[in-house]
Amino acid sequence: MTAAPTPGFIVGTAGHIDHGKSALVRALTGIDPDRLEEEKRRGMTIDLGFAHLDLPSGRRVGIVDVPGHERLIKNMLAGAGGLDLVLLVVAADEGVMPQTREHLDILRFLHVRAGVIALNKVDLVEDPAWLDLVEEDVARLVAGTFLEGAPVIRTSARTGEGLTDLVAEIDRRLDALAPRPGDGPVRLPVDRVFAMAGFGTVVTGTLWSGRIRAGETLEVLPSGMGVRVRQIERHGERVEEVSAGSRTALNLVGVERADLARGMVLATPGTLRPATSLDVHVRSLPGAPLLPHLSRLRFYLGTAEVLCRLHLLDRDRLAPGGEAFAQLRCEGPVVALRGDRFVLRRYSPLVTVGGGEIVAVNPPRRRRGAAAAAALADLSAADPAALLWQAIAERALAGATVAMLAPVLGQRPEVLAAQVAPLVADGRVHQIRDRFFDARAVERATERLLALLADTHRQSPWRIGIPREEAKSRAFPDGDDRLFAAVVERQAAAGTVALTRGFLHLAGHRPTFTPPEGALREAVVRAFREGGFAPPAPAEVAAGLAEGPIFARVLQSLLEDGTLVEVAPGVVFAGGVLEETARRVAAHIQGAGAITVAELRDLLGTSRKYALALLEYYDGIRFTRRVGDRRVLAASRPAVP
Ligand SMILES: Nc1nc2c(ncn2[C@@H]2O[C@H](COP(=O)(O)OP(=O)(O)OP(=O)(O)O)[C@@H](O)[C@H]2O)c(=O)[nH]1
Ligand SMILES: [Mg+2]
């Protein structure tokens, strides 16, 4: 086994049909990229072809050869996604042609970083002035693009002229390129799937990021199916591990050929999530038609093609050459990450109309308007820490673990754990066990809680406060329970709130009563006390004393502070009476071993209705325990129920 391979580079061809892309690949590598029988018969490339090239520096690069035919742009797009450097081929006899332009447009949208231009078939041109003219044309074409200033090498795939220079220039340009990230999650858009006799299913693709080791389990997206990598091939050689920037063939276990197709993505499990809605920045080509809001377009990302609609946010149409923040609503799942580049083509006729960059994956629906576009612009400018903070903020009071954030941000959980630490340290994010919360959201909710308590005290000074659970659901809707507990604890420690009989209240608050309320409280308590073991129904008490809201208020206050206890709906005992019955129940059970409803009825000289309500109440608070139709004392009963 060798040491971990360094990330590699992929060189791709581009250019008009018949300009000699495949011929150049063959001349440079000795490998014919046109592998299909139909391609050989028709003398044109139909689908992607692959080869590899050893450069003078000693590095071996993967080569992707694309078709030039205008009807095969879809295949070209599947190959263009993973390129580091493009070899733009322009036939010297024909010069710049429509797909020379269209391929260049696509490569610009995809942010291909570097390139070399081959002015090919120079053996067919005798007039050097013509070559100069074509070269000027090419210079005009690439002016203002990533190919401006790129070397133009005059070549002939037929005679071999210029090929040494071409190889040297490719090598030199790659020297200047930073390698792809090898430490990110695995991401491999599938470009080919086939079954090999006695070998099972094989997929090929360009590894965009991360590294894959033999034996590892990957996830197929969008289906989410798990697959194991049995064997890895890189440039036709078996290896134990591949890194980003490699043409890769994987022999997979646990999957049928029919379960896989071009357009799918293999990824580190849990790091990517299919989406149908995307926040994007789009740009339309100067020569494109006007694109109205809701235009139906074809969306290309990686090796995938999906239909979508363009939801313009701050305008009704995108003018040719214009740019805008927008949403794409896709008709099928796409596997995308922030920062990915994509291409848009018209549904019909099939022409490239634009492209752009993903700003957010599965974003909330945005109401159209300038504010939505401005929010998207801010989001697009945010740095990784700000994005992480925002992803946490979007989870509001429910909070998120790094494992939950990983697919949202397309990062490994351990990378996110490192990124979140400074946010916790500087107080922007609260951590409770393994969950993270936006400090601003917690702050707002805490203020809401204090305001809610103050409000309640003002409106209902006779109440102790608000039941803890009700306070949570009103001030911390959908909030994490541990977060709420932590906030209450912190506020209690700071002396702002307190908990009494399960009611949350501001620390200084005590229930207060108006003189009529105070008088009524005494009268109501007296009525229930006098009822003893057969207390009156609340409605009867009300009828004798005071009807209406004042009675309801006073009764509630007596129930909340425990002066009265509602043992069953409509059955209310005075607290002291209840203690007396409990003492009698306990004494009876200790003497007789158990108590029945009839025994308690006789013991209290009351009716069966009260005896039953009392015993069920004692069962409920786990003072007694029911065994058949008798009650015994519960093992760990409250001292005084
Ligand atoms: N004379 C001459 N012919 C060439 C040269 N390069 C390619 N050809 C011929 O041009 C024709 C097209 O070459 P390909 O390599 O298939 O062209 P391509 O760009 O790959 O075409 P597509 O893949 O269909 O877009 C073939 O007949 C080649 O033999 C060259 O440098 N000189
Ligand atoms: Mg070809």
Side-chain angles (χ1 to χ4, degrees):
M1 203 179 296
T2 51
T6 47
F9 290 114
I10 305 291
V11 173
T13 60
H16 197 72
I17 186 167
D18 250 6
H19 281 199
K21 299 180 288 299
S22 303
L24 276 175
V25 170
R26 196 163 45 237
L28 291 173
T29 67
I31 301 167
D32 185 358
D34 289 335
R35 61 204 148 76
L36 303 176
E37 193 273 324
E38 190 188 354
E39 291 177 321
K40 295 191 194 299
R41 185 162 40 80
R42 294 173 65 185
M44 64 180 276
T45 304
I46 292 166
D47 206 349
L48 301 175
F50 307 101
H52 48 84
L53 174 63
D54 290 314
L55 294 168
S57 61
R59 65 162 75 87
R60 174 173 279 195
V61 294
I63 303 228
V64 177
D65 182 41
V66 307
H69 197 292
E70 61 173 318
R71 308 276 283 275
L72 298 172
I73 294 280
K74 174 179 166 171
N75 291 344
M76 180 270 174
L77 276 156
L83 300 189
D84 297 293
L85 179 145
V86 67
L87 173 59
L88 180 66
V89 181
V90 182
D93 55 340
E94 277 196 339
V96 171
M97 294 290 279
Q99 271 62 56
T100 319
R101 293 178 192 284
E102 190 168 13
H103 283 198
L104 180 60
D105 287 338
I106 287 169
L107 297 166
R108 293 179 70 189
F109 282 128
L110 296 180
H111 266 203
V112 172
R113 296 176 290 167
V116 173
I117 300 165
L119 200 60
N120 191 39
K121 300 195 184 185
V122 287
D123 58 293
L124 296 182
V125 178
E126 269 152 27
D127 180 3
W130 172 258
L131 281 184
D132 291 342
L133 277 179
V134 174
E135 213 164 293
E136 277 167 31
D137 237 19
V138 170
R140 257 195 306 278
L141 173 75
V142 302
T145 77
F146 70 101
L147 284 179
E148 180 167 318
V152 181
I153 315 293
R154 299 181 176 190
T155 64
S156 166
R158 182 150 299 168
T159 68
E161 181 184 342
L163 297 189
T164 311
D165 282 354
L166 185 61
V167 166
E169 281 300 344
I170 291 173
D171 209 9
R172 205 160 58 204
R173 295 275 142 174
L174 289 177
D175 278 339
L177 285 190
R180 286 165 177 266
D183 60 345
V186 168
R187 200 171 175 208
L188 184 140
V190 172
D191 53 36
R192 257 193 323 155
V193 184
F194 50 91
M196 263 172 75
F199 214 63
T201 310
V202 176
V203 302
T204 69
T206 297
L207 183 55
W208 278 16
S209 67
R211 56 180 55 168
I212 304 175
R213 292 175 192 84
E216 172 168 8
T217 295
L218 297 175
E219 187 176 3
V220 180
L221 293 153
S223 70
M225 178 194 295
V227 292
R228 199 169 63 79
V229 177
R230 180 156 50 195
Q231 272 182 32
I232 306 174
E233 270 191 21
R234 178 176 188 256
H235 307 313
E237 285 171 8
R238 187 157 160 205
V239 292
E240 287 301 310
E241 185 173 331
V242 276
S243 292
S246 300
R247 284 295 311 161
T248 305
L250 302 176
N251 173 211
L252 300 176
V253 187
V255 64
E256 298 290 316
R257 180 189 170 167
D259 295 328
L260 298 167
R262 174 178 286 178
M264 294 182 179
V265 176
L266 292 178
T268 302
T271 52
L272 288 169
R273 195 158 48 192
T276 52
S277 175
L278 303 166
D279 273 346
V280 296
H281 180 255
V282 283
R283 201 185 288 272
S284 94
L285 286 170
L290 203 76
L291 296 179
H293 175 56
L294 299 183
S295 292
R296 195 162 186 235
L297 301 168
R298 293 172 195 268
F299 169 86
Y300 297 85
L301 173 62
T303 55
E305 177 196 47
V306 181
L307 287 169
C308 70
R309 279 194 197 274
L310 174 67
H311 281 245
L312 292 169
L313 296 171
D314 60 350
R315 63 197 74 193
D316 293 327
R317 55 189 69 84
L318 184 60
E323 58 184 287
F325 286 100
Q327 286 201 317
L328 296 178
R329 309 259 169 86
C330 302
E331 295 176 22
V334 300
V335 181
L337 280 180
R338 175 184 165 89
D340 284 351
R341 315 285 312 190
F342 62 85
V343 170
L344 294 171
R345 306 190 79 213
R346 214 168 176 190
Y347 180 65
S348 173
L350 249 173
V351 289
T352 302
V353 291
E357 181 170 351
I358 309 278
V359 176
V361 174
N362 268 334
R365 281 201 173 227
R366 296 186 188 275
R367 194 193 296 268
R368 296 185 72 205
L376 241 169
D378 285 349
L379 181 57
S380 121
D383 67 11
L387 285 173
L388 175 59
W389 192 18
Q390 166 159 333
I392 291 170
E394 274 167 15
R395 300 272 313 159
L397 300 169
T401 62
V402 287
M404 296 164 72
L405 295 166
V408 177
L409 295 161
Q411 254 314 345
R412 283 184 195 274
E414 56 274 23
V415 173
L416 294 180
Q419 282 178 358
V420 79
L423 297 179
V424 173
D426 71 15
R428 279 184 280 177
V429 166
H430 284 321
Q431 179 174 10
I432 294 176
R433 295 208 204 167
D434 63 347
R435 221 166 247 268
F436 299 95
F437 302 89
D438 175 21
R440 295 166 301 187
V442 176
E443 181 72 19
R444 280 195 299 271
T446 305
E447 277 163 18
R448 220 161 35 228
L449 175 69
L450 297 177
L452 176 67
L453 295 179
D455 238 40
T456 305
H457 298 334
R458 198 162 41 245
Q459 282 176 22
S460 309
W462 49 272
R463 290 195 76 183
I464 303 172
I466 307 178
R468 187 184 179 282
E469 281 316 300
E470 186 189 331
K472 177 184 176 265
S473 65
R474 287 174 64 184
F476 283 67
D478 305 316
D480 180 83
D481 287 339
R482 283 201 293 263
L483 172 69
F484 183 68
V487 166
V488 168
E489 205 174 293
R490 191 177 313 156
Q491 293 298 316
T496 45
V497 306
L499 194 66
T500 305
R501 295 181 53 80
F503 292 85
L504 212 50
H505 57 90
L506 293 179
H509 173 77
R510 297 290 174 274
T512 54
F513 305 96
T514 60
E517 284 168 353
L520 185 57
R521 266 172 68 92
E522 281 173 27
V524 170
V525 172
R526 206 176 313 121
F528 282 104
R529 278 219 187 98
E530 282 166 2
F533 300 133
E540 286 170 52
V541 179
L545 292 172
E547 294 282 5
I550 185 172
F551 179 80
R553 210 156 59 222
V554 160
L555 180 65
Q556 189 184 344
S557 78
L558 291 165
L559 290 170
E560 286 186 354
D561 67 18
T563 310
L564 300 178
V565 179
E566 187 164 38
V567 300
V571 182
V572 173
F573 277 80
V577 177
L578 210 56
E579 279 169 35
E580 176 57 25
T581 61
R583 266 193 294 278
R584 292 199 191 181
V585 166
H588 184 94
I589 294 175
Q590 270 147 10
I595 193 167
T596 63
V597 174
E599 284 163 353
L600 181 61
R601 178 197 60 200
D602 298 345
L603 193 65
L604 301 178
T606 183
S607 73
R608 184 182 157 77
K609 168 181 134 184
Y610 294 111
L612 180 64
L614 284 169
L615 286 180
E616 282 180 348
Y617 170 72
Y618 289 139
D619 289 347
I621 62 166
R622 300 216 161 74
F623 176 62
T624 55
R625 183 165 59 83
R626 189 174 168 177
V627 181
D629 59 359
R630 298 143 57 89
R631 261 82 180 177
V632 297
L633 291 175
S636 58
R637 59 184 183 277
V640 176

